[in-house]
Amino acid sequence: LASRSHVLLAISDALGRRVALLADGELEQGDHVFTFDAHALPPGIYLAQLDAGTAGSFTQRVLILR
Protein backbone atom coordinates (compact mmCIF):
# COMPACT_ATOMS: atom_id res chain seq x y z
CA LEU A 1 0.00 0.00 0.00
CA ALA A 2 1.28 3.44 -0.89
CA SER A 3 -0.54 4.94 2.09
CA ARG A 4 -2.75 3.93 5.02
CA SER A 5 -5.98 2.48 3.56
CA HIS A 6 -9.07 0.55 4.47
CA VAL A 7 -8.58 -2.92 2.98
CA LEU A 8 -11.15 -5.63 2.32
CA LEU A 9 -9.77 -8.98 1.16
CA ALA A 10 -12.36 -11.73 0.69
CA ILE A 11 -12.56 -15.14 -0.98
CA SER A 12 -15.81 -16.09 -2.74
CA ASP A 13 -16.96 -19.27 -4.43
CA ALA A 14 -18.14 -19.47 -8.05
CA LEU A 15 -21.69 -18.57 -6.94
CA GLY A 16 -20.54 -15.38 -5.23
CA ARG A 17 -20.86 -16.66 -1.65
CA ARG A 18 -18.12 -15.40 0.66
CA VAL A 19 -16.17 -18.36 2.04
CA ALA A 20 -13.35 -16.46 3.79
CA LEU A 21 -12.59 -12.96 4.99
CA LEU A 22 -8.85 -12.34 5.25
CA ALA A 23 -8.85 -8.60 5.98
CA ASP A 24 -11.39 -5.90 6.75
CA GLY A 25 -9.87 -2.83 8.32
CA GLU A 26 -7.26 -0.11 8.20
CA LEU A 27 -3.75 -1.16 7.20
CA GLU A 28 -0.61 0.92 7.34
CA GLN A 29 1.51 1.82 4.33
CA GLY A 30 3.75 -0.99 3.09
CA ASP A 31 3.64 -4.63 2.11
CA HIS A 32 1.24 -7.09 3.72
CA VAL A 33 0.95 -10.88 3.55
CA PHE A 34 -2.22 -12.90 4.19
CA THR A 35 -2.55 -16.66 4.48
CA PHE A 36 -5.58 -18.42 3.01
CA ASP A 37 -6.20 -21.86 4.54
CA ALA A 38 -8.36 -23.70 2.00
CA HIS A 39 -8.20 -27.18 3.53
CA ALA A 40 -11.94 -27.20 4.40
CA LEU A 41 -13.09 -26.05 0.95
CA PRO A 42 -13.95 -28.40 -1.90
CA PRO A 43 -11.87 -28.27 -5.10
CA GLY A 44 -12.99 -25.61 -7.54
CA ILE A 45 -12.57 -22.06 -8.73
CA TYR A 46 -12.73 -19.22 -6.23
CA LEU A 47 -12.30 -15.45 -6.48
CA ALA A 48 -9.93 -13.45 -4.31
CA GLN A 49 -11.26 -9.90 -4.20
CA LEU A 50 -9.16 -7.04 -2.84
CA ASP A 51 -10.57 -3.56 -2.33
CA ALA A 52 -8.08 -1.03 -1.00
CA GLY A 53 -10.19 2.12 -1.32
CA THR A 54 -8.42 4.86 -3.24
CA ALA A 55 -5.46 2.51 -3.82
CA GLY A 56 -7.66 0.44 -6.14
CA SER A 57 -9.28 -2.96 -6.38
CA PHE A 58 -8.23 -6.28 -7.86
CA THR A 59 -9.85 -9.66 -8.47
CA GLN A 60 -7.88 -12.87 -9.05
CA ARG A 61 -9.15 -16.38 -9.76
CA VAL A 62 -7.89 -19.08 -7.42
CA LEU A 63 -8.00 -22.76 -8.39
CA ILE A 64 -8.06 -25.31 -5.57
CA LEU A 65 -7.02 -28.82 -6.59
CA ARG A 66 -6.81 -31.95 -4.49
Side-chain angles (χ1 to χ4, degrees):
L1 295 173
S3 62
R4 181 180 172 96
S5 300
H6 183 270
V7 172
L8 177 68
L9 177 57
I11 309 295
S12 301
D13 65 14
L15 298 176
R17 298 176 296 205
R18 184 178 290 172
V19 297
L21 181 61
L22 305 178
D24 185 10
E26 294 287 322
L27 293 179
E28 296 296 328
Q29 174 183 358
D31 295 334
H32 301 275
V33 176
F34 299 92
T35 302
F36 172 46
D37 183 359
H39 79 276
L41 296 175
I45 297 174
Y46 295 83
L47 295 176
Q49 299 166 307
L50 171 68
D51 183 357
T54 59
S57 62
F58 181 76
T59 300
Q60 177 71 47
R61 285 189 306 182
V62 177
L63 177 61
I64 298 176
L65 299 173
R66 301 269 189 252

